[in-house]
Amino acid sequence: MSTLVKEDLFENLLESAPANFTEARQTAKNLYLKSGLPAPKEEEYKFTGITKKLEKSLDNFNQANQLSVEENLIKESVFQGFEGDVLVFSNGKFLQEMSSTIEGLEVSNILSSSAEIGSIAKAEKDAFAALNQASFSGGISIKVPKKTKVEKPILLLSFNGANDGQVITPRFWIEVGDFSEITFLDQSISMGEEAYFVNKVVEIKGGLNSHINYYRLQNESNQAIEVSNIETDIQSDARFTSVNISLSGDMVRNNLSLNLLGSNSEGNMYGIYLLNGKTHVDNHTNVDHTIPHAESNEMYKGIFDAQSRGVFNGKIFVRQDAQKTNAFQQNNNVLLSEDAIVNTKPQLEIWADDVKCSHGCTVGQLDEEALFYLQARGIGKVQAKGLLLYAFAGEVMEKIEEESFKNHVVGLIQDRLGSKF
């Protein structure tokens, strides 16, 4: 247990929580007060000192007030080529009046919704999930009816910044009906350079034969601290694909969990983290195979420069009844600096005997032979390095099916590699 007095940091946040979802909030509050924030030697957080970082970086642990967001700012923030609907958030609060009206979907402020808070992202699994459940003051509920194919992607556009308060607690509930399809793009933009803390929880419920894409871009200011818990339940014949791109921030912890609850379900988890400066990104993933004939694919890649640091901890559980499981997990990393550090730990726990499972990780530098080959054909060393790194990252980029978002991310990565080389 942390040596911190729990109430010292977040007492006001807990006490000022809105008066709804009372039972769920009280349960989570009790769990949080019992466990406290992660201690320095706690196994799940031993490479990511988030508690110390919060103490050091923030001096105000109240709920952040809503920022002023103008229509012009929204238009300027939507990336080029995007054609879809935009849902806007200010410090975690859903701005319905500034957002698109999406026909056929039930979209509402989570505080006035019937969301099944905590039924997927269990408060007992993580201290920050418990803290969010006890204190969230904004967010959204999105329900997609059965047999609905949402043709356009939905951009979840969040504006974050310190404004009289530095803790932002968005809560998203997404429920996709049987035989429905939808794509979400989750992007946050920093307003200013002051430190703030985002503690985010997203619960996704996928029905039979549903297809869900959830693409996420983390490219906030170098003062942003974030913990996110994204957890998904999917049923038989359903497919869920997550792609997470991390480019900046101070300290970022991503907890991503996928529960495969039906036969012929498929879960895909991909990520790229391209870091410089002192940015610290920790990706903790969890795939739970509970039923026979399900498949999961996981690939995370990291490029580290300067004094950046990365953590990857991926767990795959194959339960005793989950025969005929096919599970793949891979983590590859390239270090461009002697001061960059990565800690990687892919894990498999298998109780079934008729399965195909594999996992692995690599940590190294650029391939000198490939670099020499390119230079021998007239390509300069700087350009050759950029080409090799882009090819390394490109395998993840190809998993993004939404072209405008892919083009936007590719442009950001090319700019980053260009600035490096």
Side-chain angles (χ1 to χ4, degrees), residues 11 21 52 62 65 71 97 99 129 135 139-140 149 197 207 223 255 257 279 307 314 326 355 384-385 405 420:
E11 179 180 12
F21 299 103
K52 184 177 180 180
N62 292 310
N65 294 324
E71 188 173 345
E97 70 281 2
S99 301
S135 63
I140 196 168
K149 183 176 182 179
F197 172 44
Q223 303 300 316
N255 296 321
S257 296
T279 298
Q307 295 174 288
N326 190 349
V355 300
K385 284 185 176 180
F405 183 71
K420 164 60 185 171

Side-chain angles (χ1 to χ4, degrees), residues 205-261:
K205 185 176 182 179
L208 299 170
N209 213 340
S210 60
H211 292 173
I212 306 167
N213 295 321
Y214 197 92
Y215 306 143
R216 191 160 181 237
L217 173 62
Q218 294 175 314
N219 192 27
E220 297 181 65
S221 79
N222 291 330
Q223 303 300 316
I225 305 167
E226 179 172 354
V227 176
S228 63
N229 279 277
I230 301 177
E231 186 147 0
T232 302
D233 284 356
I234 63 170
Q235 303 297 328
S236 296
D237 302 303
R239 184 180 73 232
F240 173 80
T241 299
S242 165
V243 182
N244 197 95
I245 301 100
S246 299
L247 301 180
S248 64
D250 184 355
M251 180 172 284
V252 177
R253 167 65 176 248
N254 298 315
N255 296 321
L256 176 60
S257 296
L258 176 58
N259 305 311
L260 301 173
L261 305 178

